[in-house]
Amino acid sequence: MCGIFGIIGEQEVAPLLLEGLKRLEYRGYDSAGIACLSNGHIDRRRAQGKLHNLAAKLEADPLKGTVGIGHTRWATHGLPNERNAHPHANDKLAVVHNGIIENYAALKSELEDQGAVFETETDTEVIVHLVTHYMNEGLKPVDAANKAMDRLDGAYALVIIFAGHHDFIVGCRHGTPLAIGYGEGEMFMASDSYALAPLTKRICFLEDGDRVIVTRKDIKIYNKDGVAANRNIRITEQSGASTGKGEYRHYMLKEIYEQPAVIGETLNSYVNAGTGKISIPEDVLDGIVNAPRLTLIACGTAYYACMVAKYWFEQIARIPCEIDVASEFRYREAPMPEGGAAIFISQSGETLDTLEALRYCRSQGQKIISIINTIESTIERESDFVLHTLAGPEIGVASTKAFTTQLTTLACMILAAARSKGSIDKEKEHEMADALRHVPTIAADMLRHDEAIHSIAKDVADARDVLYLGRGSLYPIALEGALKLKEISYIHAEGYASGEMKHGPIALIDDNVPVVVIAPENDPLFEKNASNIAETVARGGKIFLISDVKGAHLLKNQTTWSVSMGAVHHFVAPILYSIPVQLLAYHVAVLKGTDVDQPRNLAKSVTVE
C-alpha cells in the first residue's frame, strides 16, 4: 500500500527522497509528496498522480533541507487528490502514514470540539492535530507523539518530523512494516528494505508496537511499554541496482518474459542438478507429511496458487487440505487440528490479512510454513520455516512471475512430500520430476504465441464481459485469467469450473460474451471440457480455446479463436497455462490504453485490512 521514506543526514535530501519513492512505486499509489525542514520550517510539495508530477513541482520549486519525509499514497479515506496527499502538516510538524486509523472518526470529533479545523478527508490528519494538541499542552515533541500514538487504533506505520528540530525523526510501527537503515552520519526509514538498498546494507526491522527516535548518529527503539528494545541489525541481501523495463514497454510484459528464467532459478534451488532429486528441508517435509490436515491461506493471485496446490496435495501426496482467503479465515475462528501445519503464500511477505491469519494459526499450535518472494519480510520473520521463490523484484502490480514461481515451489514441495509419504512410486515420481524440469524450456516456447494472442486480444478488447472456464487443477487458472483481465483492462470477467456453467452462468452466454476455455487434450478431463464447450456454442457463445495442438484440432469446428501450445504433462499444466492468460490480459489492457503496471485502485503490497 502506501510507501514511506524518511532521511536525516548531512546533504540535501529531497532528491534522495524522490529516488526512494520511485523504488516504492511498485506498491501502488495515486498521489505523492515530500516535506523537508528548511531553516527550521516545514516546507512541502505534493502532487496528484504519478511521481513525474511531483518531480516537475520539485524542479520548478526545489525543496531544501537535510531532514525530510516522503510518501506515496494509496487512498483509503478521501479522494486521491493533492489536498489529501501526504505529508500532512501544520506549522509544528509533518507526518506520513501507511495503514488505517480505525478510531479516527471519534478522535476527529473530539479534536473538532476543541477547536481543530480539518483541511482533508483523510484519517491521517487526526495524527497531526492530536500531536499538536499535546504539544500545546506543554509536552515535548517526542512525548506528544508517544501520547498520540497511545490513542491510535488500527494497523499503521508513521514517521514524523518537527519544525525547529533538525536533530531527530520519530517513527512507529503497529501492524504495518517499517525498516530502519544505518548510514554514516545519516539514517533512513522506509516501508521496506528494497527501497533502502541503494543507500545502505545495514538494516533493522521494527517489531509491532515499536517506537523509534532516529538521529544522524543513533537509533533508539522502544517497545510498546516504553522499554528500550534491541532489534538485530542485519546485512540486507536486497540488490541496490535499479530495476528498469529494458526493451519492454511495460514491467508486466518484461516480467512475463522473465518467467522461463526465474522458474528455472527457482527449480535449481530445490532440485539437485546431479541426481535430479528434489530437496526440501526435512523439517518442512516432516511438518507436511505428519500433519493430519494442511491449511493453505493467501490473498488474491496467491490464493489461486493455494487452489492449485490443494489439487496437487490431495491427488498426488494424498494429504487432506483446506484452503481459504486470509481476510475471511482470520474471522472464522476455525478449529485447527493438533499437529497441523499451515502454509502461507505471499509475494511481499507483508500482506496484513495473511499475516493476521498466520498469527491465528500460530496461536492454535500449527506449524507455520511460508512461501515468499521478498526476503526479510514480516511473514518470514514470524514463520517456522520459509521457502523462497526466486522471481526477483516484481514491479508490475498484477502478479505474473511471482505466481508461476509460487506454483513451481509448491510443485517441488508436493513431489517431495509424496515421495516421503510413499504416495507415489519411483516411476511416477521420476515422470513428474522430469516434467517439472522441462517447464522453463516449454515456458519459453509458449511465449512464441505472443503475436497470435495479441491478434485475438483485438476482438476480446471490445467485450464488456468475458468468461473463463477450466476443470481440475486448471480451474484456478481460469479464475486467475479472469482476475488478470479485470485488474488491468477493467473488463468484467469471471472464472468458473466448466461443469458449473449449466448451474447458472450459462444464462450469460450470447455472441457478445467471449468464453476463454483452458483445456489441453492430455488433461484427464478434456472430454468433459469438450461437452461444456458444445453447450456454450449451442447457445451462441464464441470460444477462445487455449489448448495443445491435438486439442485445438479436435475442437476446431467449435472455436472462434484458438492457440495451440506444445504438449505438456498435466501435472505442470497450471504453471504453463498461466502464461497465455497473462499475455491475453496484457494485450487487451494495452489495446484499451489502461495503466498496465499500476492499474487504478490497486496496490502491490496490501498492508491494510
Side-chain angles (χ1 to χ4, degrees), residues 142-152 156 158 169-174 178 180 189 206-214 219-229 231:
V142 173
D143 295 329
N146 281 327
K147 192 166 183 178
M149 293 170 195
D150 288 339
R151 299 198 59 196
L152 303 179
Y156 54 85
L158 56 91
I169 300 177
V170 171
C172 77
R173 175 211 166 132
H174 186 79
L178 192 62
I180 311 296
M189 308 173 75
L206 298 186
E207 297 184 5
D208 265 359
D210 281 354
R211 294 164 189 190
V212 61
I213 303 171
V214 179
I219 291 176
K220 294 180 180 179
I221 301 173
Y222 302 89
N223 65 20
K224 58 186 178 183
D225 298 318
V227 178
R231 303 296 179 224

Side-chain angles (χ1 to χ4, degrees), residues 301 304 399 403 475-485 581-582:
T301 288
Y304 298 142
S399 183
F403 177 60
Y475 163 44
I477 306 307
L479 293 169
E480 169 64 4
L483 176 62
K484 282 290 160 286
L485 193 70
V581 299
Q582 293 168 356

Side-chain angles (χ1 to χ4, degrees), residues 309-418:
K310 179 177 174 67
Y311 283 97
W312 285 343
F313 268 121
E314 295 189 338
Q315 288 180 343
I316 300 168
R318 307 303 296 164
I319 300 174
C321 284
E322 177 184 353
I323 59 172
D324 208 340
V325 288
S327 56
E328 288 298 311
F329 175 85
R330 60 184 289 199
Y331 294 114
R332 282 202 291 116
E333 299 183 7
M336 309 297 289
E338 184 177 348
I343 299 175
F344 297 86
I345 304 176
S346 171
Q347 189 283 139
S348 68
E350 301 291 354
T351 309
L352 182 61
D353 285 322
T354 305
L355 180 59
E356 291 298 333
L358 181 156
R359 289 167 176 164
Y360 176 81
C361 288
R362 178 173 291 287
S363 75
Q364 299 298 302
Q366 306 298 287
K367 285 190 176 180
I368 307 299
I369 302 166
S370 293
I371 297 174
I372 306 169
N373 186 49
T374 304
I375 59 175
E376 302 162 345
S377 66
T378 305
I379 288 177
E380 176 173 350
R381 294 194 297 276
E382 297 196 19
S383 298
D384 295 316
F385 310 107
V386 175
L387 299 179
H388 286 110
T389 60
L390 299 180
E394 188 178 67
I395 306 303
V397 167
S399 183
T400 52
K401 62 178 182 173
F403 177 60
T404 50
T405 53
Q406 287 164 356
L407 291 176
T408 301
T409 302
L410 285 162
C412 291
M413 177 190 290
I414 284 149
L415 278 187

Side-chain angles (χ1 to χ4, degrees), residues 414-446:
I414 284 149
L415 278 187
R419 179 188 67 231
S420 178
K421 200 169 186 290
S423 302
I424 55 175
D425 58 30
K426 288 186 178 180
E427 183 179 350
K428 195 68 174 177
E429 178 193 353
H430 177 77
E431 175 190 325
M432 290 181 160
D434 188 61
L436 197 52
R437 286 194 295 273
H438 284 87
V439 166
T441 301
I442 301 172
D445 184 64
M446 284 194 160

Side-chain angles (χ1 to χ4, degrees), residues 70-91:
H71 192 267
T72 53
R73 177 179 186 246
W74 187 87
T76 56
H77 295 73
L79 295 173
N81 54 29
E82 182 175 333
R83 181 167 63 92
N84 289 325
H86 297 214
H88 291 291
N90 58 18
D91 61 350

